[in-house]
Amino acid sequence: MPLLADVAVPVPLAQAFTYAVPDALADRVVPGVRVLCGFGKRQTLGVVLTVSNREVPPHIKRLRPIGALLDSEPILPQELVRFLLELSSYYFAPIGEVLRLALPAVERGKARALEADGADISALQKQKQIGGRSVQVVRPTSAVDESGKVRGQAAAILALLRASGEAPIAHLEKSFGNARAAVKKLTTLGLVETRTQEAERDPFFSDPVPRDTPPELTTAQQAAAAAITSALSEKKGAGFLLFGVTGSGKTEVYLSAISTCLDQGRGALVMVPEIALTPQLVGRFRARFGDGLAVLHSALGEADRFAMWQSLRRGEVKVAIGARSVLFAPLLDPGLIIVDEEHDSSFKQEEGVRYHARDMALLRAHRTGAVCVLGSATPSLESVQLTKTGKLTELSLPDRAYGGATLPKVEVVNLRTVGPGPAGHPMLSLPLERALEKTLKAGEQSIVFLNRRGFAPSVICGSCGAIETCKACSVALTYHKRGKAQEVDLFTRAQGGWVECHYCDFHAPLPEVCSGCQAPALMLEGLGTERLESALRETFPSARIERLDRDVADGKKGQAIMARMHAHEIDILVGTQMVTKGHDLPNVTLVAAVNADAALSLPDFRAAERGFQLLVQVAGRAGRHEKPGQVIIQTRQPLHTSVQCAASHDVRGFLARELVDRREVGYPPFSRLVLLRIDAVDEDLARDSAAHIARMVEQSQPGQEHLVHVLGPSAAPIARLRGRYRFRVMLRAKERGPLRKATQVAAQWMAELPNAVRAVIDVDPVSML
């Protein structure tokens, strides 16, 4: 029988493709190596998944041979290749797209060069350099466009540069697909100039960090660390839920477990929700283990990212830290996988391959005999239920680790009965204003939390009541007064603001009249972080106030703001949920949630759980050291279970109640969900396509008790997004097997839909919008 190889190629198709292995390559083509093979009329680069002697499948009319072998050894460990295959199958994701998650962009760039230029294979194999440590930066000149030729992306880039000063071309490419061509055009017109400069060093390693000595663990920490150490020693694989209150010292347990893992000669992966905003965490890891870490984050240059990837693949580095994509690091012999803040929704990817990094961390650990530790002060209901069924072992940290530190006192302010303070701002209640005054006088710091960015969440007509909405999305436009450099012309910025869609990034000057009745009666409605910051500056003019949200701080800017917060150069920090993610600030004694109701009112069965988690996590920033903390929760629903349990620090009570409610309505973790997302520019076409898929799934299980409930089709809560009408069909079942069969039926029919319809399978959905 012939020797055949199944090869994944970078195309959005659900299958791998079978090729014949030439005799000359028979002993060198193994899973994980890259090969050059014919695909259609071109040559493409693929990764070998499996190799075996077998009959040629009958559906293959012409078997093509592998053209060339690029690697002398697998570029991906076989363990990782098998894991990627399972992930692809579970999420109904094209294996070629899944492999993109594991291969760095430098390697994908080599593939594109091969496909386009037919590059010499031997030269590629000998290549040792991956590019210098320099970057191209573009900045605007003082010239004025008199040609009238600057339009589209070129105009947007020019406006962005004039607002921000300069930017690396590589960063522009993340927002503008045609950035290089646009910059070339602007350079020709004399409107911008480019220069080459040395790339900045990775900010996580820019300053030396002295090595530390492991502290003495508390009794609870010792018990947790001992349980993980025992599991590591057995090398059979195990799963733990490290359930500890905020400030209980979960990180110290992680460090202890990693140390044990390294002593055994195995590697560790550490996954966090927002690596770019947690340099303090990386600093603690460097202090314990030195600089022999791979820190994977969005601000890392491709050359540095590739160097880290190579060091992991060669076994030179055994600890990798990062956001969800660190799951795919080519770590040799992983022994420990840690998912910090496992409840965080950012672990679910919402575009492309819609995988959940927490769930896949459990799978990868299980397949490699590694230990997986999920940590949280507010664990997800799914993880809690796994402890009840014996699939995870709970480890408890019931008290704060710092000597004498206690959980903060929480005050619930009912906005229906309590009025504003002396400043008169409706969202700065009298208790909140007084608490901020007291904290400022004591020389301590405050965090004021509002999970809504912008100045005003909506612009409403005082005459007809119409709300200004995005022309491409069924959402209100948010008014921004100032913030990050956007693709808005400088005249608009000078006039004092613009409206923006937070979903499709549409920007425009603030309208002068209502788009409905044309009356000049537009009013700003609601409260965003920008408006809250402005109100606080008016109320406390001598206070040092800063804002942390996506409009003003991302990546290095966010790190700089948090560094100033640690250095006590900020008195009051206003922010969205970015301020809730793992920060340990000893001088923060007051935390305020300005509007707790916003998260509780979303059309999502997880709204109560997420609202509760946000309140507990943001409250957990207060009083983490010797100074006692205070938390103020402002709400119009003071009796809501989420608010009541957060105020009493009753996490277990909330989880118990919510589990009862979920069981009654048959939602996860007591059922499995698949969301079929269908959208099209034509509303009727999208609706009819969704109805057709729902009908086909229903008809696939006739004459028997329906093990899979088909709900829908229904319009999505955000019914129109980026000019496309959106409909959903939800499949729900108690068991995974029947649900998978129904999803396979849906996938078959979705493949037959017209090209004008986009259909996506979302297994275990997190966002219901």
Side-chain angles (χ1 to χ4, degrees):
M1 288 188 289
L3 184 62
L4 305 180
D6 291 327
V7 179
V9 296
V11 294
L13 298 175
Q15 69 199 70
F17 294 86
T18 303
Y19 290 86
V21 179
D23 292 341
L25 302 177
D27 59 343
R28 291 184 290 156
V29 174
V30 295
V33 298
R34 294 170 304 159
V35 294
L36 201 62
C37 47
F39 191 82
K41 296 182 179 180
R42 63 187 175 95
Q43 291 287 303
T44 190
L45 183 144
V47 177
V48 175
L49 303 175
T50 62
V51 182
S52 63
N53 291 102
R54 63 185 189 272
E55 296 290 346
V56 178
H59 67 275
I60 296 180
K61 305 302 181 186
R62 183 168 69 95
L63 187 66
R64 303 176 72 171
I66 287 174
L69 177 67
L70 270 66
D71 305 304
S72 58
E73 60 183 16
I75 196 168
L76 296 175
Q78 292 195 27
E79 163 268 320
L80 183 54
V81 172
R82 290 192 294 269
F83 166 68
L84 295 173
L85 279 168
E86 282 197 78
L87 185 149
S88 170
S89 173
Y90 181 77
Y91 288 106
F92 290 83
I95 183 59
E97 296 298 307
V98 171
L99 277 164
R100 282 177 168 271
L101 301 173
L103 287 174
V106 168
E107 290 298 326
R108 300 199 300 269
K110 290 178 183 177
R112 288 193 293 271
L114 275 174
E115 294 163 15
D117 304 328
D120 181 12
I121 298 297
S122 61
L124 181 64
Q125 290 173 329
K126 293 176 182 176
Q127 182 181 354
K128 299 297 182 183
Q129 300 298 321
I130 58 174
R133 302 285 171 172
S134 60
V135 294
Q136 274 193 303
V137 176
V138 57
R139 60 184 176 187
T141 66
S142 58
V144 177
D145 175 32
E146 298 177 350
S147 66
K149 297 179 180 179
V150 180
R151 302 185 184 89
Q153 288 195 3
I157 289 173
L158 183 60
L160 176 63
L161 292 172
R162 284 177 172 169
S164 62
E166 66 177 26
I169 293 179
H171 289 188
L172 293 175
E173 286 184 303
K174 294 178 181 180
S175 301
F176 305 96
N178 203 29
R180 288 192 179 274
V183 167
K184 184 176 180 180
K185 178 179 180 179
L186 292 170
T187 303
T188 302
L189 294 172
L191 298 172
V192 302
E193 58 186 16
T194 60
R195 61 186 173 87
T196 300
Q197 67 179 32
E198 287 298 308
E200 293 184 22
R201 193 177 177 197
D202 185 350
F204 286 106
F205 295 90
S206 57
D207 298 315
V209 174
R211 299 295 291 270
D212 72 353
T213 301
E216 183 177 348
L217 300 180
T218 66
T219 302
Q221 286 175 322
Q222 289 176 11
I228 298 171
T229 296
S230 176
L232 285 168
S233 299
E234 292 178 2
K235 298 184 178 180
K236 293 181 180 178
F240 294 97
L241 173 62
L242 185 60
F243 187 171
V245 299
T246 54
S248 60
K250 292 183 286 294
T251 302
E252 200 57 54
V253 176
Y254 300 154
L255 293 169
S256 174
I258 293 170
S259 181
T260 300
C261 182
L262 293 177
D263 289 343
Q264 295 176 356
R266 306 185 76 185
L269 298 175
V270 182
M271 206 183 307
V272 295
E274 191 84 42
I275 185 66
L277 290 174
T278 51
Q280 185 184 29
L281 175 70
V282 176
R284 291 186 64 181
F285 275 76
R286 290 178 63 201
R288 188 64 51 86
F289 303 115
D291 288 348
L293 307 171
V295 182
L296 306 176
H297 56 94
S298 58
L300 199 63
E302 293 301 343
D304 285 326
R305 182 182 296 273
F306 181 73
M308 286 189 177
W309 185 82
Q310 286 281 48
S311 65
L312 287 166
R313 189 173 71 90
R314 291 193 293 257
E316 299 165 357
V317 171
K318 292 185 176 294
V319 180
I321 309 172
R324 59 177 179 252
S325 61
V326 81
L327 175 67
F328 307 107
L331 191 67
L332 298 181
D333 193 19
L336 178 66
I337 302 178
I338 294 170
V339 184
D340 190 31
E341 309 292 0
E342 64 84 23
H343 65 276
D344 199 284
S345 60
S346 67
F347 286 128
K348 180 65 156 54
Q349 180 155 301
E350 297 295 347
E351 298 289 341
V353 181
R354 295 173 180 255
Y355 69 95
H356 200 305
R358 178 200 63 208
D359 298 348
M360 292 298 101
L362 287 168
L363 176 64
R364 188 174 182 188
H366 176 69
R367 292 292 185 249
T368 58
V371 172
C372 187
V373 179
L374 311 181
S376 179
T378 53
S380 63
L381 266 68
E382 287 80 2
S383 296
V384 170
Q385 185 61 20
L386 287 177
T387 66
K388 295 182 179 298
T389 58
K391 295 179 180 179
L392 289 179
T393 300
E394 182 185 316
L395 305 174
S396 179
L397 301 178
D399 302 305
R400 287 194 156 176
Y402 192 90
T406 58
L407 291 172
K409 175 186 175 182
V410 181
E411 178 183 357
V412 177
V413 176
N414 185 352
L415 292 178
R416 291 183 296 176
T417 58
V418 178
H425 194 285
M427 291 306 287
L428 294 180
S429 66
L430 179 61
L432 174 55
E433 202 169 318
R434 291 286 184 252
L436 287 167
E437 287 176 354
K438 181 179 177 182
T439 305
L440 287 169
K441 286 180 181 178
E444 296 165 356
Q445 293 172 290
S446 305
I447 291 177
V448 182
F449 166 70
L450 177 65
N451 206 26
R452 181 169 287 174
R453 60 190 175 97
F455 190 90
S458 58
V459 180
I460 188 170
C461 178
S463 178
C464 71
I467 295 176
E468 295 297 310
T469 58
C470 176
K471 292 180 173 62
C473 311
S474 56
V475 295
L477 291 171
T478 298
Y479 172 71
H480 289 257
K481 201 169 186 178
R482 64 185 181 91
K484 68 179 181 181
Q486 296 280 11
E487 298 89 274
V488 183
D489 61 72
L490 296 179
F491 175 78
T492 299
R493 193 172 292 280
Q495 295 303 302
W498 71 96
V499 288
E500 175 182 337
C501 175
H502 287 173
Y503 287 88
C504 73
D505 281 339
F506 166 79
H507 308 86
L510 178 68
E512 296 182 356
V513 298
C514 172
S515 60
C517 69
Q518 305 303 309
L522 293 179
M523 302 183 301
L524 303 178
E525 185 79 12
L527 180 71
T529 50
E530 192 180 343
R531 194 173 203 170
L532 179 59
E533 177 195 13
S534 177
L536 287 169
R537 289 186 184 278
E538 293 173 4
T539 306
F540 305 105
S542 62
R544 297 169 298 178
I545 301 172
E546 289 292 342
R547 174 161 52 99
L548 183 64
D549 59 27
R550 295 294 179 198
D551 290 326
V552 296
D554 204 355
K556 288 190 296 183
K557 291 182 180 178
Q559 292 176 29
I561 290 175
M562 291 312 302
R564 292 178 57 207
M565 191 72 179
H566 279 281
H568 199 176
E569 296 173 3
I570 297 172
D571 298 316
I572 302 174
L573 180 63
V574 180
T576 57
Q577 62 182 346
M578 294 171 75
V579 303
T580 73
K581 297 183 185 263
H583 305 297
D584 188 10
L585 301 161
N587 205 46
V588 170
T589 57
L590 174 65
V591 168
V594 172
N595 182 14
D597 305 324
L600 303 176
S601 59
L602 294 174
D604 190 327
F605 70 89
R606 290 190 178 94
E609 179 186 9
R610 288 189 186 139
F612 172 76
Q613 289 167 344
L614 268 177
L615 291 175
V616 172
Q617 291 291 336
V618 72
R621 302 312 107 201
R624 294 172 68 93
H625 289 256
E626 68 274 5
K627 297 178 181 178
Q630 178 186 5
V631 177
I632 292 178
I633 299 176
Q634 296 188 159
T635 177
R636 291 182 175 82
Q637 303 179 71
L639 299 181
H640 195 290
T641 300
S642 298
V643 175
Q644 291 283 302
C645 289
S648 60
H649 304 290
D650 188 8
V651 178
R652 293 186 184 277
F654 174 82
L655 293 170
R657 294 185 195 183
E658 192 69 7
L659 282 171
V660 170
D661 292 345
R662 295 278 184 89
R663 188 188 292 272
E664 286 182 357
V665 296
Y667 274 109
F670 301 103
S671 65
R672 303 278 183 179
L673 298 182
V674 169
L675 199 61
L676 309 177
R677 303 177 185 269
I678 294 100
D679 62 73
V681 174
D682 186 305
E683 182 177 10
D684 291 335
L685 179 60
R687 182 189 297 107
D688 293 345
S689 298
H692 177 67
I693 298 299
R695 187 164 54 251
M696 292 300 101
V697 175
E698 285 277 19
Q699 292 176 1
S700 70
Q701 44 180 359
Q704 58 175 311
E705 180 183 356
H706 281 206
L707 301 176
V708 178
H709 297 281
V710 181
L711 307 176
S714 62
I718 300 177
R720 190 166 178 253
L721 194 61
R722 299 182 182 93
R724 301 178 71 89
Y725 291 92
R726 308 165 71 236
F727 289 84
R728 310 177 305 169
V729 177
M730 182 183 288
L731 309 181
R732 184 176 67 183
K734 290 184 177 180
E735 303 295 333
R736 193 188 304 277
L739 182 62
R740 182 163 184 81
K741 290 180 181 177
T743 307
Q744 288 171 338
V745 171
Q748 292 169 2
W749 286 103
M750 288 165 76
E752 303 295 326
L753 292 175
N755 291 336
V757 179
R758 183 169 55 198
V760 174
I761 296 173
D762 191 354
V763 178
D764 301 329
V766 169
S767 171
M768 307 305 292
L769 299 180

